[in-house]
Amino acid sequence: MTATENRINRIKPDRNAPIGVFDSGVGGLTVVREIMRQIPNEKIIYFGDTARVPYGSKSRETVVRFSEQIVRFLRTFEVKTIVVACNTASAYAMDILEKETDIPIIGVVRPGAREAAAVTQNGRIGVIATEATIGSQIYTDYIRELNENVTIYGKACPLFVPLVEEGLLEDPVTDEIARRYLAELIDIDIDTLILGCTHYPLIRSTVGKIMGDRVRLVNPAYETARELQNLLAEADLLSRNPPRLGENPHQFYVSDKAEKFLRFANSIIKYGILSAKAVNIETY
Amino acid sequence: MTATENRINRIKPDRNAPIGVFDSGVGGLTVVREIMRQIPNEKIIYFGDTARVPYGSKSRETVVRFSEQIVRFLRTFEVKTIVVACNTASAYAMDILEKETDIPIIGVVRPGAREAAAVTQNGRIGVIATEATIGSQIYTDYIRELNENVTIYGKACPLFVPLVEEGLLEDPVTDEIARRYLAELIDIDIDTLILGCTHYPLIRSTVGKIMGDRVRLVNPAYETARELQNLLAEADLLSRNPPRLGENPHQFYVSDKAEKFLRFANSIIKYGILSAKAVNIETY
């Protein structure tokens, strides 16, 4: 490395540095999957907080504290950017994390909100998410910043995460619970529905079947990967080097149960995750 | 207080000291309810780890670390004994907590195991619990210490806790999930079934309906309160003073979401819980 390059690297992140991605557990892997599809040259450091999952029923203060610990952990890898791949953490902690962090950081809420505001025709948008995300009103706030003439209906669906984690992705019980949760959104005639929790893309077909063809489903994981690509391109931080043959470009860390995580991860991401390491996140 | 009494108090816990009780969240309140019913003179300090709930899908190492922090917290109140009102923590951490603690400490697993071993007629006992409790084989180990001629069948029921927390105590969805989980226990003709998670007494009627009258349900919460009473009586530590009129004898602490805890607590315990305070348990 020349002296000039070295000086540039000190004032700007290295474009070949990895991207840090975190979630309360396994749900954020749906975001990882989209990043791998859309910008396959990028290396990822993933952290899933499996010792303290779920976040969706916890308070703002607790979720902020957990998120700050994880950002400190990810920064030990000198990541060039951080993706908050958890709707609850995006809802509660983005403001604070952005203030505290001097590298680009993006959450999943804003990209999902932007897409929903752009595609709605009748101005009636539904959001399904955890209790915390719905309670925070964050999707409502972001969407109304972009488009004042829409109405947003939020519905917390606390059983969706345990049903997904139990593997009941296509099952009469999941159908029944989904029908109950979604009934009021059908009644009020929304035309756009945000899957506002990173687990929900895994039951997209169940939700789609119940909502019908007229309702457009927005997957913030997909939108986030697209926005990440734009952000890196604008900052001239896109990696130009595809991973070398035989190199494992991604690393996965969890706060508990690395083996169980690995099984779930390999069912979501077809590329084959070789290992996941456990760390004690409370010490960060 | 005389000098003699003072000296005795220094070498033995005060019989008027409170009892410490902890759980990963709200489930342990079914144990609190039984303690209140059976030994109403006792004062209780309860801690629910609502910031890190649930424990049932987490590893031994993590559950032990969390439990040690909570024991340190409870000891700041100079409790005379500690009740581990969580099956997962009892399964994973009792050995270590007993070694580390110089006051009496009891869990919910041993009392439940003892009752099941005593009441079975055909020697076929079922246990339903979290993944962690079932995986630990702790009920099997304890029961077989007492009675070698029994066979124990464990079945993890991961959706029961979220269904209870969603309030679906009597609901067709809970019926359907319970039928699936319990089918194999019916097939193998058990005559005794341990409700091996502190949430499960809240769906006792659903489980009882599916298992039928021939199967005896064992509630470790009830057995634990009975064993606690015996333990305190033997150590001459039973409180002799009923709470004074107007005095609130119990204190409730949580690591997150004190208000939500309070709503749930007041639906389980009819005595009226006035307040719950939030503490940062990671600092203990």
Side-chain angles (χ1 to χ4, degrees), chain B residues 164-185:
Chain B
V164 167
E165 301 216 334
E166 184 73 338
L168 304 184
L169 303 183
E170 293 188 28
D171 189 281
V173 164
T174 307
D175 286 354
E176 168 61 20
I177 292 291
R179 262 192 296 273
R180 294 187 197 179
Y181 284 147
L182 300 173
E184 60 194 88
L185 297 175

Short mmCIF file of all heavy atoms in Angstrom, two decimals, chain B residues 164-185:
data_model
loop_
_atom_site.label_atom_id
_atom_site.label_comp_id
_atom_site.label_asym_id
_atom_site.label_seq_id
_atom_site.Cartn_x
_atom_site.Cartn_y
_atom_site.Cartn_z
N VAL B 164 -49.69 -18.75 25.48
CA VAL B 164 -50.15 -18.27 26.79
C VAL B 164 -49.95 -16.76 26.88
O VAL B 164 -50.85 -16.02 27.31
CB VAL B 164 -49.42 -18.99 27.95
CG1 VAL B 164 -49.67 -18.27 29.27
CG2 VAL B 164 -49.87 -20.45 28.04
N GLU B 165 -48.78 -16.29 26.45
CA GLU B 165 -48.50 -14.86 26.58
C GLU B 165 -49.40 -14.03 25.64
O GLU B 165 -49.64 -12.86 25.90
CB GLU B 165 -47.02 -14.57 26.33
CG GLU B 165 -46.17 -15.34 27.35
CD GLU B 165 -44.94 -14.62 27.85
OE1 GLU B 165 -44.42 -13.77 27.14
OE2 GLU B 165 -44.49 -14.95 28.97
N GLU B 166 -49.91 -14.65 24.58
CA GLU B 166 -50.86 -13.97 23.69
C GLU B 166 -52.28 -14.05 24.26
O GLU B 166 -53.22 -13.51 23.68
CB GLU B 166 -50.78 -14.60 22.29
CG GLU B 166 -51.62 -13.97 21.20
CD GLU B 166 -51.15 -12.62 20.69
OE1 GLU B 166 -50.41 -11.93 21.41
OE2 GLU B 166 -51.54 -12.25 19.57
N GLY B 167 -52.43 -14.77 25.39
CA GLY B 167 -53.75 -14.83 26.04
C GLY B 167 -54.68 -15.89 25.47
O GLY B 167 -55.86 -15.93 25.83
N LEU B 168 -54.17 -16.77 24.59
CA LEU B 168 -55.04 -17.79 23.98
C LEU B 168 -55.15 -19.02 24.88
O LEU B 168 -54.77 -20.13 24.51
CB LEU B 168 -54.52 -18.18 22.58
CG LEU B 168 -54.33 -17.04 21.59
CD1 LEU B 168 -53.91 -17.55 20.22
CD2 LEU B 168 -55.63 -16.23 21.46
N LEU B 169 -55.66 -18.81 26.10
CA LEU B 169 -55.69 -19.89 27.08
C LEU B 169 -56.72 -20.95 26.71
O LEU B 169 -56.48 -22.14 26.89
CB LEU B 169 -55.97 -19.33 28.48
CG LEU B 169 -54.97 -18.27 28.96
CD1 LEU B 169 -55.29 -17.84 30.39
CD2 LEU B 169 -53.54 -18.75 28.88
N GLU B 170 -57.86 -20.52 26.22
CA GLU B 170 -58.87 -21.47 25.74
C GLU B 170 -59.25 -21.04 24.35
O GLU B 170 -60.01 -20.08 24.17
CB GLU B 170 -60.08 -21.48 26.67
CG GLU B 170 -59.70 -22.06 28.03
CD GLU B 170 -60.88 -22.29 28.93
OE1 GLU B 170 -61.99 -22.53 28.43
OE2 GLU B 170 -60.68 -22.24 30.16
N ASP B 171 -58.70 -21.74 23.38
CA ASP B 171 -58.81 -21.28 21.99
C ASP B 171 -58.58 -22.47 21.07
O ASP B 171 -57.76 -23.34 21.35
CB ASP B 171 -57.72 -20.22 21.74
CG ASP B 171 -57.90 -19.53 20.40
OD1 ASP B 171 -57.53 -20.12 19.37
OD2 ASP B 171 -58.43 -18.40 20.40
N PRO B 172 -59.31 -22.51 19.94
CA PRO B 172 -59.12 -23.64 19.00
C PRO B 172 -57.68 -23.80 18.53
O PRO B 172 -57.23 -24.93 18.28
CB PRO B 172 -60.03 -23.26 17.82
CG PRO B 172 -60.97 -22.23 18.33
CD PRO B 172 -60.35 -21.58 19.52
N VAL B 173 -56.93 -22.69 18.37
CA VAL B 173 -55.54 -22.80 17.92
C VAL B 173 -54.69 -23.50 18.99
O VAL B 173 -53.89 -24.39 18.69
CB VAL B 173 -54.96 -21.41 17.58
CG1 VAL B 173 -53.44 -21.47 17.50
CG2 VAL B 173 -55.54 -20.91 16.27
N THR B 174 -54.88 -23.10 20.24
CA THR B 174 -54.14 -23.76 21.32
C THR B 174 -54.54 -25.23 21.41
O THR B 174 -53.69 -26.11 21.61
CB THR B 174 -54.41 -23.02 22.66
OG1 THR B 174 -54.12 -21.63 22.45
CG2 THR B 174 -53.54 -23.56 23.77
N ASP B 175 -55.83 -25.52 21.23
CA ASP B 175 -56.29 -26.92 21.20
C ASP B 175 -55.54 -27.71 20.13
O ASP B 175 -55.06 -28.81 20.37
CB ASP B 175 -57.79 -27.00 20.87
CG ASP B 175 -58.67 -26.57 22.04
OD1 ASP B 175 -58.13 -26.32 23.14
OD2 ASP B 175 -59.89 -26.48 21.85
N GLU B 176 -55.47 -27.12 18.92
CA GLU B 176 -54.86 -27.83 17.79
C GLU B 176 -53.37 -28.08 18.03
O GLU B 176 -52.86 -29.19 17.82
CB GLU B 176 -55.08 -27.01 16.50
CG GLU B 176 -54.28 -27.46 15.28
CD GLU B 176 -54.58 -28.88 14.83
OE1 GLU B 176 -55.65 -29.42 15.19
OE2 GLU B 176 -53.73 -29.48 14.13
N ILE B 177 -52.67 -27.05 18.49
CA ILE B 177 -51.23 -27.21 18.77
C ILE B 177 -51.04 -28.23 19.89
O ILE B 177 -50.16 -29.10 19.82
CB ILE B 177 -50.62 -25.83 19.16
CG1 ILE B 177 -50.62 -24.89 17.95
CG2 ILE B 177 -49.22 -25.99 19.73
CD1 ILE B 177 -49.67 -25.28 16.83
N ALA B 178 -51.87 -28.16 20.92
CA ALA B 178 -51.76 -29.10 22.04
C ALA B 178 -52.02 -30.53 21.56
O ALA B 178 -51.33 -31.47 21.95
CB ALA B 178 -52.73 -28.71 23.15
N ARG B 179 -53.02 -30.70 20.70
CA ARG B 179 -53.30 -32.05 20.17
C ARG B 179 -52.07 -32.62 19.45
O ARG B 179 -51.73 -33.79 19.61
CB ARG B 179 -54.49 -32.01 19.22
CG ARG B 179 -55.81 -32.44 19.89
CD ARG B 179 -56.92 -32.68 18.87
NE ARG B 179 -57.26 -31.45 18.17
CZ ARG B 179 -58.16 -30.57 18.62
NH1 ARG B 179 -58.83 -30.80 19.73
NH2 ARG B 179 -58.41 -29.48 17.94
N ARG B 180 -51.39 -31.76 18.67
CA ARG B 180 -50.20 -32.24 17.96
C ARG B 180 -49.09 -32.62 18.92
O ARG B 180 -48.46 -33.67 18.79
CB ARG B 180 -49.66 -31.14 17.02
CG ARG B 180 -50.60 -30.82 15.90
CD ARG B 180 -49.90 -29.85 14.94
NE ARG B 180 -50.86 -29.20 14.08
CZ ARG B 180 -50.54 -28.29 13.17
NH1 ARG B 180 -49.27 -27.93 13.02
NH2 ARG B 180 -51.46 -27.75 12.42
N TYR B 181 -48.82 -31.73 19.88
CA TYR B 181 -47.73 -31.99 20.82
C TYR B 181 -48.02 -33.24 21.67
O TYR B 181 -47.11 -34.00 22.00
CB TYR B 181 -47.54 -30.80 21.77
CG TYR B 181 -46.84 -29.59 21.20
CD1 TYR B 181 -47.19 -28.30 21.63
CD2 TYR B 181 -45.82 -29.69 20.26
CE1 TYR B 181 -46.54 -27.17 21.14
CE2 TYR B 181 -45.17 -28.56 19.77
CZ TYR B 181 -45.53 -27.31 20.21
OH TYR B 181 -44.89 -26.19 19.74
N LEU B 182 -49.29 -33.41 22.05
CA LEU B 182 -49.61 -34.45 23.04
C LEU B 182 -49.92 -35.81 22.41
O LEU B 182 -49.98 -36.82 23.13
CB LEU B 182 -50.80 -33.99 23.91
CG LEU B 182 -50.56 -32.69 24.71
CD1 LEU B 182 -51.84 -32.23 25.39
CD2 LEU B 182 -49.45 -32.87 25.74
N ALA B 183 -50.11 -35.84 21.07
CA ALA B 183 -50.55 -37.08 20.42
C ALA B 183 -49.66 -38.27 20.79
O ALA B 183 -50.15 -39.34 21.16
CB ALA B 183 -50.57 -36.89 18.90
N GLU B 184 -48.35 -38.06 20.74
CA GLU B 184 -47.47 -39.21 20.99
C GLU B 184 -47.50 -39.66 22.46
O GLU B 184 -47.30 -40.84 22.76
CB GLU B 184 -46.03 -38.92 20.54
CG GLU B 184 -45.38 -37.75 21.22
CD GLU B 184 -44.09 -37.32 20.48
OE1 GLU B 184 -44.17 -36.50 19.53
OE2 GLU B 184 -43.02 -37.79 20.87
N LEU B 185 -47.80 -38.72 23.36
CA LEU B 185 -47.89 -39.10 24.79
C LEU B 185 -49.16 -39.92 25.05
O LEU B 185 -49.19 -40.79 25.92
CB LEU B 185 -47.87 -37.86 25.68
CG LEU B 185 -46.59 -37.02 25.62
CD1 LEU B 185 -46.72 -35.75 26.45
CD2 LEU B 185 -45.39 -37.83 26.12
#
